């Protein structure tokens, strides 16, 4: 039986520091039965030298490795060009941004590559260990508060000094999902006074249990999908939310926004008027920036200082600043997916299982066809 080849190329997205394969996950894949190759320099941004991969049993890949690989691991979507270089029957695992990348999905199908979209892994208990959205969001929430705190002209905790009392900074977190809850916990640990809001009423209890205040705004009927995602609000509800949050924003030193809608553009929650009403020196960290952003005037990749002195951070991927930890959990998520589908006796990934919820949820293309119901030609 030939040994299947797993390959992890370097990420090409500007500023990306994470890697989909760590020395630890490489060792686990070797143990599982793969020959593992990596593009030299793969782990540099995450603090992993090539030598660590060699010690784990992996080898360096070259220009031909992509074409020979049975399994390709990446953080982000590949270029159309690199999909064309893969061999039919190979499996590709990464984030794919499938709702915005129809052409890329068709390209995978045309190349006969089985593409797995990590965004689509169902949010079930069994699949929790494969959930990259959660593993990355948690670190993003942490890193966003650390970044915002570093740019704030204030200390976060209260300090009693002989020269006077320094009041604790106020942090307002909009959206208390995975990222938001970690942002709340981080800001609390740093000594800030924290307030939060989310449209899903079920999170009030979680916010309180972290020692933060939950801002109550009556929006009428809101809710969440079976997968735990927030549903879009009506324009009237958004307007009510904005009015309800204006005071909290005006009093905040740091505003962290994390409000996303799965597969859709994020809602603008901080209007120009609300930003104009904030204090000089305050900082906004918008964790929804890659999905359009929650803040009017925010620009991905560029910090914006408004005329009234509010700093809107342009960072769109906070987790890349904790690349070693982010890579560790991302690679562990991938390893969990591979292990779940690994057929050791046949030394292959069994993608022909029927009735597997994780496969049905995350496999987008197989055997030259788009197999995911949301993206099949019939659904288009
Ligand atoms: P997300 O990243 O899609 O959204 C972030 C937060 O923004 C959510 O809490 C959402 O309710 C909120 N939001 C959306 N629109 C808003 C608005 N207009 N104003 C304020 N807040 C708004 O969501 P997420 O953080 O990935 O997770 C959402 C839920 O799913 C959480 O309850 C989480 O615990 C749950 N979850 C479950 C599993 C599992 O069961 N395996 C895994 C991951 C997450």
């Amino acid at each position: 039986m030939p040994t299947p080849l797993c390959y992890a190329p370097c990420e090409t997205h500007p500023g990306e520091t994470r890697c989909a394969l760590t020395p630890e996950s490489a060792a686990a894949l070797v143990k599982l039965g793969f020959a593992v190759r990596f593009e030299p320099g793969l782990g540099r941004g995450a603090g992993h030298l090539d030598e660590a991969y060699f010690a784990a049993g992996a080898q360096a890949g070259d220009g031909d490795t992509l074409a020979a690989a049975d399994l390709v691991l990446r953080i982000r979507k590949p270029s159309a060009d690199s999909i064309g270089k893969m061999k039919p029957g190979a499996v590709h695992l990464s984030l794919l941004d499938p709702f915005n990348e129809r052409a890329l999905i068709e390209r995978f199908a045309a190349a006969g590559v089985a593409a797995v979209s990590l965004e689509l892994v169902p949010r079930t208990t069994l699949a929790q260990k494969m959930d990259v959205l959660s593993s990355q969001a948690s670190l993003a929430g942490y890193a966003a508060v650390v970044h915002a705190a570093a740019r704030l002209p204030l200390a976060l905790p209260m300090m009693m000094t002989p020269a006077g009392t320094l009041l604790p900074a106020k942090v307002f977190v909009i959206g208390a999902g995975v990222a938001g809850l970690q942002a709340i916990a981080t800001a609390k640990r740093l000594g800030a006074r924290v307030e939060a809001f989310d449209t899903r009423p079920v999170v009030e209890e979680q916010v309180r249990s972290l020692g933060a205040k939950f801002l109550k705004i009556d929006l009428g009927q809101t809710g969440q999908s079976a997968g735990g995602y927030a549903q879009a609000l009506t324009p009237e509800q958004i307007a009510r939310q904005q009015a309800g949050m204006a005071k909290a924003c005006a009093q905040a030193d740091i505003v962290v926004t994390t409000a996303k809608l799965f597969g859709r553009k994020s809602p603008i929650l901080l209007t120009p008027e609300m930003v104009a009403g904030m204090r000089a020196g305050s900082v906004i960290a918008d964790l929804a920036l890659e999905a359009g952003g929650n803040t009017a005037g925010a620009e991905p990749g560029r910090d914006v200082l408004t005329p009234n002195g509010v700093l809107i951070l342009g960072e769109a991927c906070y987790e890349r600043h904790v690349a070693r930890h982010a890579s560790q959990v991302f690679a562990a998520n991938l390893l969990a997916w591979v292990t779940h589908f690994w057929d050791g006796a046949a030394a292959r990934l069994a993608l022909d299982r029927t009735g597997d919820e994780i496969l049905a949820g995350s496999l987008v293309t197989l055997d030259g066809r788009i197999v995911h119901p949301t993206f099949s030609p019939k659904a288009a």
Side-chain angles (χ1 to χ4, degrees):
M1 220 170 341
T3 305
L5 176 63
C6 170
Y7 181 49
C10 292
E11 296 296 313
T12 52
H13 186 81
E16 184 56 86
T17 51
R18 296 168 295 167
C19 53
L21 181 80
T22 60
E24 197 184 353
S25 73
L29 287 163
V30 169
K31 205 166 162 206
L32 209 58
F34 282 93
V36 178
R37 292 190 181 227
F38 67 101
E39 188 174 338
L42 173 73
R44 198 175 293 142
H48 297 302
L49 299 177
D50 291 351
E51 286 71 18
Y53 288 93
F54 294 138
Q59 292 172 307
D62 56 30
D64 299 327
T65 312
L66 185 63
D70 300 286
L71 172 65
V72 175
L73 304 178
R74 279 194 172 92
I75 301 272
R76 292 179 186 259
K77 59 195 167 196
S79 67
D81 189 41
S82 74
I83 298 172
K85 290 184 183 144
M86 291 178 68
K87 72 175 182 189
V91 180
H92 188 284
L93 250 68
S94 75
L95 291 164
L96 286 182
D97 193 13
F99 294 97
N100 298 308
E101 290 292 351
R102 173 112 219 147
L104 211 64
I105 292 173
E106 282 164 8
R107 185 82 200 208
F108 272 120
V113 172
V116 173
S117 167
L118 296 171
E119 294 93 335
L120 301 174
V121 167
R123 298 197 125 172
T124 59
T125 307
L126 181 63
Q128 226 165 358
K129 55 184 181 292
M130 311 171 195
D131 183 357
V132 301
L133 295 186
S134 292
S135 71
Q136 303 303 293
S138 187
L139 286 163
Y142 159 80
V145 170
V146 170
H147 265 246
R151 303 294 297 277
L152 193 71
L154 303 170
L156 263 63
M158 182 166 118
M159 292 188 200
M160 313 269 262
T161 81
T165 299
L166 306 178
L167 295 175
K170 287 185 182 166
V171 176
F172 181 43
V173 177
I174 304 171
V178 180
L181 289 172
Q182 192 53 245
I184 293 168
T186 304
K188 282 298 295 180
R189 280 184 214 119
L190 290 173
R193 219 177 264 171
V194 186
E195 192 170 13
F197 176 72
D198 196 296
T199 53
R200 292 179 303 121
V202 292
V203 300
E204 177 173 350
E205 181 69 32
Q206 297 165 28
V207 168
R208 286 186 198 281
S209 72
L210 290 171
K213 194 175 149 202
F214 188 79
L215 177 69
K216 283 200 183 271
I217 305 171
D218 182 10
L219 297 178
Q221 184 67 30
T222 57
Q224 64 181 45
S225 68
Y229 292 109
Q231 272 153 11
L233 301 181
T234 62
E236 293 74 35
Q237 285 176 313
I238 294 257
R240 248 196 276 174
Q241 179 182 348
Q242 287 165 339
M245 294 190 318
K247 191 169 158 211
C249 290
Q251 292 176 347
D253 299 298
I254 294 176
V255 176
V256 178
T257 78
T258 73
K260 293 190 196 164
L261 296 169
F262 187 63
R264 307 168 66 158
K265 199 171 173 300
S266 316
I268 290 288
L269 300 175
L270 296 183
T271 59
E273 295 72 31
M274 287 161 82
V275 176
M278 288 175 62
R279 302 184 203 178
S282 58
V283 180
I284 299 173
D286 187 334
L287 276 73
L289 255 191
E290 267 192 350
N294 297 138
T295 314
E299 287 185 33
R302 197 175 82 81
D303 293 345
V304 174
L305 187 65
T306 67
N308 61 316
V310 177
L311 180 65
I312 309 174
L313 300 177
E315 180 57 63
C317 179
Y318 284 96
E319 56 271 37
R320 77 189 176 97
H321 294 287
V322 280
R324 191 167 186 151
H325 270 152
S327 303
Q328 178 187 326
V329 287
F330 198 108
N333 294 144
L334 292 180
L335 181 64
W337 197 99
V338 172
T339 306
H340 181 80
F341 291 104
W342 181 242
D343 176 350
R348 62 184 271 274
L349 285 168
L351 301 190
D352 43 7
R353 276 187 210 168
T354 48
D356 188 296
E357 231 181 46
I358 299 170
L359 193 65
S362 57
L363 187 66
V364 181
T365 59
L366 183 69
D367 296 335
R369 286 184 308 117
I370 299 176
V371 292
H372 197 287
T374 310
F375 307 102
S376 73
K378 267 182 255 153

